[in-house]
């Protein structure tokens, strides 16, 4: 299981990303808009840099919903690979069966 501090840090990042999502999208669109003047685009880039680092969605990490493990997480299930394996063998995930050929 991941440390609780890491899980809590990720939850704080999620809240920060949600808080600044609209502002981040607007500034990003302005900075990438070729029809705007160079001064406007530069100002938008500066404003983007002044936002908190953790407000950037790329800093988010997918984590297992049960254990909090950061690596080997399947986005479709929201679980780590080890938990998917355990639950699949126990028959707790519908549609997943052990392969045999």
């Amino acid at each position: 299981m991941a440390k609780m501090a890491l899980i809590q840090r990720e939850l704080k990042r999620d809240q920060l990303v949600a808080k600044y999502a609209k502002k981040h999208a607007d500034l990003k669109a302005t900075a990438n808009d070729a029809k705007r003047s160079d001064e406007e685009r530069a100002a938008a880039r500066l404003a983007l840099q002044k936002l908190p680092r953790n407000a950037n969605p790329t800093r988010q990490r997918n984590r297992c919903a049960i254990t909090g493990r950061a690596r080997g997480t399947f986005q479709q299930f929201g679980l780590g690979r080890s938990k998917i394996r355990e639950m699949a063998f126990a028959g707790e995930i519908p549609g997943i069966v052990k392969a045999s050929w």
Side-chain angles (χ1 to χ4, degrees):
M1 177 130 189
K3 291 183 180 178
M4 286 306 295
L6 296 177
I7 295 170
Q8 293 302 319
R9 184 186 307 161
E10 198 63 42
L11 292 175
K12 281 174 59 175
R13 277 191 189 130
D14 291 342
Q15 292 170 353
L16 209 56
V17 167
K19 179 179 177 182
Y20 287 99
K22 184 171 177 10
K23 188 172 188 177
H24 190 273
D26 291 342
L27 289 172
K28 192 85 166 166
T30 303
N32 292 332
D33 189 5
K35 295 177 184 174
R36 302 272 180 136
S37 68
D38 289 339
E39 292 81 20
E40 284 180 310
R41 294 173 69 188
R45 284 192 203 99
L46 271 174
L48 263 175
Q49 289 176 359
K50 291 188 180 189
L51 290 179
R53 275 191 178 182
N54 287 332
N56 193 342
T58 59
R59 290 178 66 97
Q60 288 178 306
R61 182 82 185 202
N62 292 330
R63 290 192 174 269
C64 176
I66 298 172
T67 62
R69 181 179 165 88
R71 295 180 176 216
T73 307
F74 285 71
Q75 196 170 13
Q76 182 179 1
F77 303 107
L79 299 172
R81 57 180 173 73
S82 57
K83 284 298 169 186
I84 287 178
R85 186 171 191 269
E86 288 174 12
M87 293 176 77
F89 286 158
E92 296 172 0
I93 303 176
I96 302 289
V97 292
K98 188 171 187 280
S100 61
W101 60 91

